[in-house]
Amino acid sequence: FEVGIILTEKGEAHVQAVGEYVFTYLRLMQQLPVSEELFAETKDIDEMNFRFRSLGNPVSVVSSLSHALQDGLPVEQMLSGSAKVWELDKSQIQEVADMLICARLRLCWISKSFTEEDCPDTERWYGTRWGAGALPEDWHRAWEAARGGPAAEAAAAGAKMGMALPLRNP
């Protein structure tokens, strides 16, 4: 699971607040029941994207088919297995959603504003500077705090920040 966020220079000055928004939204998703309507809509969109996708080159198609064979997909799902959702499994969706916690987070922050002090290591092939470290403790506390609480609190916190789960398309 990956969340990508592109920030302006001003946004980079407020990464902790951005993280609070992300974890508030995750909390909203985790606390509210799995939506059968949203699942059905996602399934329909995936089906449409699969049916009208551009054809890949033959080497890529063969490579993806060999991966599908190794993944043990049923024959009828070989071509479309990774491109579509198949069945609604609320418990599995909830299990995955429950794993979206700060302790499992890997934050990858790419910025032109970092200094050599921020990035003390050098990648050996291209000489790209980089650094690694623990998440600042105050960010961790704030992001975990944004994640806690019952469903009603999650919905209220999300609404206060202008967040809600997507509505069904008309």
Side-chain angles (χ1 to χ4, degrees):
F1 186 82
E2 182 177 312
V3 175
I5 301 171
I6 299 172
L7 300 173
T8 62
E9 288 178 17
K10 186 176 178 182
E12 284 190 7
H14 301 284
V15 172
Q16 180 177 338
V18 172
E20 288 176 37
Y21 274 86
V22 169
F23 278 97
T24 297
Y25 191 79
L26 289 174
R27 173 175 141 204
L28 183 64
M29 286 181 10
Q30 290 166 332
Q31 296 295 325
L32 297 177
V34 174
S35 168
E36 292 181 27
E37 285 183 347
L38 187 58
F39 178 83
E41 188 171 327
T42 301
K43 186 175 181 176
D44 291 344
I45 291 169
D46 285 351
E47 176 67 35
M48 183 181 62
N49 287 339
F50 178 74
R51 287 182 53 210
F52 297 106
R53 75 180 190 270
S54 56
L55 298 175
N57 69 48
V59 173
S60 295
V61 171
V62 169
S63 176
S64 67
L65 284 173
S66 67
H67 286 288
L69 284 167
Q70 291 176 2
D71 290 342
L73 290 173
V75 174
E76 62 274 6
Q77 294 178 8
M78 285 294 161
L79 292 174
S80 59
S82 63
K84 295 167 50 176
V85 291
W86 296 94
E87 296 175 14
L88 175 61
D89 184 339
K90 291 183 179 185
S91 64
Q92 190 173 30
I93 290 170
Q94 191 63 51
E95 183 181 328
V96 171
D98 290 344
M99 290 184 196
L100 303 176
I101 59 173
C102 206
R104 293 179 172 268
L105 170 73
R106 175 173 290 168
L107 176 65
C108 180
W109 185 358
I110 301 167
S111 176
K112 292 180 181 179
S113 67
F114 288 139
T115 65
E116 287 190 18
E117 186 177 296
D118 297 321
C119 302
D121 300 308
T122 304
E123 183 266 334
R124 65 179 172 174
W125 293 283
Y126 297 104
T128 304
R129 308 230 8 127
W130 64 280
L135 189 67
E137 190 58 38
D138 55 333
W139 291 14
H140 188 276
R141 279 192 306 275
W143 295 356
E144 278 298 311
R147 228 183 47 73
E153 280 183 30
K160 184 178 176 184
M161 296 175 130
M163 298 180 190
L165 291 179
L167 299 174
R168 187 167 193 250
N169 279 325

